[in-house]
Amino acid sequence: LESVVSEETDPSVCGVTVSSASPTSKPSPQPTPQPTKQPVTLEPTNSPTVTPKYIEISCGNQCHLIQWPYKMGGSYEPSVAYGKCEADCDNGDCKAFSLQDDTRFNFSGNKRCFLYKASKEPSPEICANDPFSHPFCRYATSGGSFFITPAAKAQYN
């Protein structure tokens, strides 16, 4: 432990050697020693890549796909709305879900869950490809968000 620096002002910690020959002489810089460890190369692992169950799609204030067959879900407190709506979708005929501000009088402050059916295709067909880009396929929402399975996202863009 004799090599431990015991004082914060010890200039040797910076690779500088101080000569005691003259109090006015300037310290002469010394080269920094080379590291003793070599860089570590990480090998790829066989760990599975985590795929999310649902991917959020940016939809602004137009988050309801009106031409996709859907079922009205529950109305939930905002702090639990995502988890409850996700569970509703997991346990039903569902490829996507959206959450929107519930504007009904007795549910003010809650989020309403819309569950989009996996067993039915959007109609008209134009709403099956990149539906948020077609004004006819989407509907205005307040505080909306939209979540879709990776497989359905690949199918419908």
Side-chain angles (χ1 to χ4, degrees):
L1 292 176
E2 292 175 16
S3 65
V4 174
V5 175
S6 60
E7 198 173 307
E8 289 179 28
T9 57
D10 183 349
S12 68
V13 297
C14 299
V16 176
T17 305
V18 178
S19 169
S20 59
S22 166
T24 58
S25 65
K26 295 189 177 194
S28 57
Q30 299 295 317
T32 304
Q34 294 298 315
T36 56
K37 290 189 172 188
Q38 296 300 316
V40 175
T41 304
L42 298 176
E43 297 296 323
T45 66
N46 291 329
S47 298
T49 302
V50 177
T51 303
K53 283 198 293 185
Y54 297 96
I55 299 168
E56 184 170 8
I57 304 295
S58 178
C59 52
N61 61 352
Q62 306 257 324
C63 292
H64 178 45
L65 293 180
I66 194 70
Q67 303 301 337
W68 281 31
Y70 65 94
K71 173 185 165 190
M72 299 293 282
S75 185
Y76 305 112
E77 291 286 329
S79 62
V80 298
Y82 178 87
K84 294 230 180 214
C85 196
E86 177 185 53
D88 292 345
C89 195
D90 288 347
N91 296 318
D93 174 24
C94 187
K95 62 185 161 202
F97 65 91
S98 70
L99 289 165
Q100 311 168 23
D101 289 344
D102 195 335
T103 56
R104 297 175 298 168
F105 177 73
N106 291 335
F107 297 94
S108 180
N110 282 2
K111 292 287 191 181
R112 187 76 188 260
C113 176
F114 289 73
L115 304 164
Y116 298 91
K117 297 180 179 183
S119 62
K120 297 194 177 179
E121 290 300 313
S123 179
E125 195 174 313
I126 191 172
C127 295
N129 185 21
D130 194 14
F132 287 108
S133 69
H134 304 291
F136 176 75
C137 303
R138 63 183 195 247
Y139 194 76
T141 59
S142 173
S145 52
F146 187 87
F147 304 90
I148 189 166
T149 64
K153 182 181 184 309
Q155 181 179 352
Y156 300 109
N157 284 325

